[in-house]
């Protein structure tokens, strides 16, 4: 497909996508949606993309979706959709490179940001999409997402920043810093004034999608009143089933640094896979205020880590006890870095 260059959406107006009709059809009359639901803005195979100034309201599905794009700048714009609007993400960079998302104000029904890089597996279910081994584009890097910066944004109602779960092409070099997540008027009584829900930072994949997360940094963010601070989930929607021969997602070199999380129901769950344990996980200088009745930390299957300066205490012990019983790919269990 030819690459389209210099694509812009700019101005001070509003684009209202009339989402309620689509949401109602999705929930009560799916047969009327044979072609699915559209994104509000989708760029495909474009270079030098800019979206700025506009208010995007009530998308039927994901709001902004750049796919196979290079050099994307989304800044100084707003997204609005009500709490629980089905699958209404804010911005979903997908199989693209050199993307900057900054100075935006987003309130939406699902993930504020969802980072994607294609979906494959055995190719025999809706979870898997196409067969990874038969579609050589995944191995060739066609679906890879690389060089993404998310900074200086205000995220209000919504489910935070997610990497995945469509991750088969691989994600690398992601820098998420100095965002405010979950800013709101206190309370859940009015869905238009609710805080964030879900986890502020969510790495999610299934046991069949392959791909990788590498060189990911989540630093100096402030989180208010979310369900949780950090969640690494390697069995998303797959119910702990043993994976097929296709490899499990690799999670390597993830840094969580200098964040402040206030009013969390849960603190941190690092649910790495026993089939491919996480490596080089660095968690330093984070301050977490969570519910006094919650278990602060949950860790599993982490083979190498560096932990220091976090409050409350207990993460070091959690990491030390997380080493898998069976070690794969010649990794060494339970190594403390530094």
């Amino acid at each position: 497909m030819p690459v389209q260059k210099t694509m812009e959406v700019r101005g001070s107006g509003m684009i209202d996508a009339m989402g309620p009709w689509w949401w109602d059809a999705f929930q009560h009359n799916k047969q009327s949606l044979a072609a699915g639901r559209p994104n509000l803005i989708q760029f495909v195979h474009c270079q030098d993309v800019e979206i700025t100034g506009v208010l995007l309201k009530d998308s039927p599905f994901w709001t902004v979706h750049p796919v196979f794009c290079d050099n994307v700048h989304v800044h100084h714009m707003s997204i609005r959709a009500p709490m629980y609007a089905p699958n209404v993400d804010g911005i979903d960079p997908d199989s693209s490179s050199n993307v900057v998302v900054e100075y935006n104000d987003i309130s939406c029904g699902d993930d504020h940001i969802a980072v994607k890089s294609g979906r494959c597996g055995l190719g025999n279910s809706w979870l898997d999409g196409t067969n990874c081994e038969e579609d050589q584009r995944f191995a060739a890097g066609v679906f890879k997402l690389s060089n993404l910066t998310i900074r200086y944004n205000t995220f209000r109602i919504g489910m935070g920043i997610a990497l995945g779960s469509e991750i088969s092409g691989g994600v690398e070099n992601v820098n998420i810093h100095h965002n405010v997540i979950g800013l709101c008027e206190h309370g859940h009584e009015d869905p238009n004034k609710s805080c964030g829900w879900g986890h502020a930072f969510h790495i999610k994949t299934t046991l069949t999608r392959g791909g990788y997360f590498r060189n990911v940094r989540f630093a100096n963010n402030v989180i208010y009143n979310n369900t949780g601070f950090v969640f690494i989930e390697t069995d998303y929607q797959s119910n702990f089933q043993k994976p097929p021969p296709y490899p499990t997602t690799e999670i390597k070199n993830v840094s969580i640094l200098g964040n402040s999380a206030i009013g969390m129901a849960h603190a941190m769950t690092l649910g790495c896979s026993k089939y491919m344990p996480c490596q080089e996980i660095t968690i330093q200088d984070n301050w977490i205020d969570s519910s006094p009745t919650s278990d602060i930390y949950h860790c599993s299957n982490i083979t190498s880590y560096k932990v220091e300066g976090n409050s409350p205490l207990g993460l070091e012990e959690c990491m030390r006890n997380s080493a898998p019983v069976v070690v794969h790919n010649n990794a060494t269990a339970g190594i403390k870095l530094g």
Side-chain angles (χ1 to χ4, degrees):
M1 180 180 293
V3 173
Q4 305 298 316
K5 295 186 177 182
T6 315
M7 310 295 291
E8 296 182 357
V9 177
R10 60 168 57 243
S12 57
M14 176 179 70
I15 302 175
D16 187 341
M18 308 298 287
W21 183 92
W22 296 92
W23 309 333
D24 182 73
F26 173 72
Q27 293 172 325
H28 302 109
N29 188 23
K30 287 187 179 180
Q31 62 269 26
S32 67
L33 300 176
R37 291 174 288 160
N39 305 133
L40 199 158
I41 293 177
Q42 178 173 264
F43 290 107
V44 182
H45 288 290
C46 295
Q47 183 175 342
D48 302 327
V49 173
E50 183 179 17
I51 303 174
T52 186
V54 296
L55 167 60
L56 305 178
K57 183 175 183 292
D58 290 349
S59 176
F61 195 53
W62 305 339
T63 305
V64 175
H65 186 211
V67 193
F68 302 123
C69 292
D70 178 59
N71 194 20
V72 178
H73 192 194
V74 183
H75 64 101
H76 296 94
M77 48 83 74
S78 300
I79 293 173
R80 291 291 183 270
M83 187 176 182
Y84 304 135
N87 309 112
V88 181
D89 294 345
I91 302 170
D92 289 16
D94 192 345
S95 303
S96 295
S97 59
N98 304 312
V99 180
V100 177
V101 177
E102 60 181 353
Y103 297 105
N104 302 294
D105 188 316
I106 299 176
S107 185
C108 61
D110 207 312
D111 297 322
H112 295 105
I113 307 288
V115 179
K116 304 177 184 296
S117 65
R119 184 179 74 187
C120 66
L122 288 180
N124 61 356
S125 76
W126 69 272
L127 276 174
D128 291 334
T130 59
N131 187 297
C132 297
E133 295 181 343
E134 293 178 0
D135 191 337
Q136 296 302 310
R137 295 176 299 170
F138 287 96
V142 172
F143 291 93
K144 180 174 71 173
L145 183 136
S146 62
N147 303 330
L148 167 65
T149 299
I150 302 168
R151 63 190 181 190
Y152 311 128
N153 300 284
T154 298
F155 299 125
R156 301 178 187 272
I157 297 172
M159 296 188 70
I161 298 169
L163 275 56
S165 64
E166 299 89 341
I167 205 64
S168 302
V171 166
E172 64 182 8
N173 304 332
V174 177
N175 191 3
I176 304 165
H177 66 91
H178 292 98
N179 301 281
V180 177
I181 304 170
L183 186 66
C184 62
E185 297 181 49
H186 181 68
H188 286 273
E189 293 81 7
D190 183 342
N192 295 313
K193 298 180 180 179
S194 171
C195 305
W197 79 98
H199 292 79
F201 182 47
H202 190 183
I203 292 178
K204 54 184 177 178
T205 182
T206 76
L207 295 176
T208 61
R209 286 191 179 163
Y212 53 81
F213 299 100
R214 298 173 184 159
N215 306 328
V216 176
R217 179 175 177 266
F218 184 77
N220 301 310
N221 301 283
V222 177
I223 300 104
Y224 296 101
N225 298 310
N226 276 57
T227 302
F229 171 36
V230 173
F231 188 14
I232 295 178
E233 184 179 17
T234 53
D235 65 331
Y236 181 69
Q237 295 184 343
S238 51
N239 301 317
F240 298 98
Q241 296 174 8
K242 182 176 173 58
Y246 192 79
T248 309
T249 305
E250 175 190 285
I251 301 176
K252 184 176 183 179
N253 192 12
V254 175
S255 299
I256 301 167
L257 311 170
N259 301 281
S260 297
I262 303 164
M264 303 295 102
H266 304 283
M268 190 178 299
T269 299
L270 309 176
C272 300
S273 174
K274 64 182 179 181
Y275 302 106
M276 186 176 286
C278 296
Q279 304 175 58
E280 300 177 24
I281 306 298
T282 300
I283 304 176
Q284 294 178 289
D285 301 323
N286 299 281
W287 182 81
I288 306 166
D289 171 35
S290 64
S291 167
T293 61
S294 72
D295 294 327
I296 304 299
Y297 301 118
H298 298 271
C299 313
S300 57
N301 303 305
I302 299 166
T303 60
S304 52
Y305 63 89
K306 182 176 183 180
V307 171
E308 61 184 17
N310 300 287
S311 179
L313 300 174
L315 184 57
E316 170 77 29
E317 181 181 6
C318 185
M319 290 289 217
R320 187 169 57 250
N321 294 334
S322 76
V325 175
V326 179
V327 179
H328 294 260
N329 301 326
N330 298 316
T332 303
I335 292 186
K336 181 179 179 180
L337 304 175

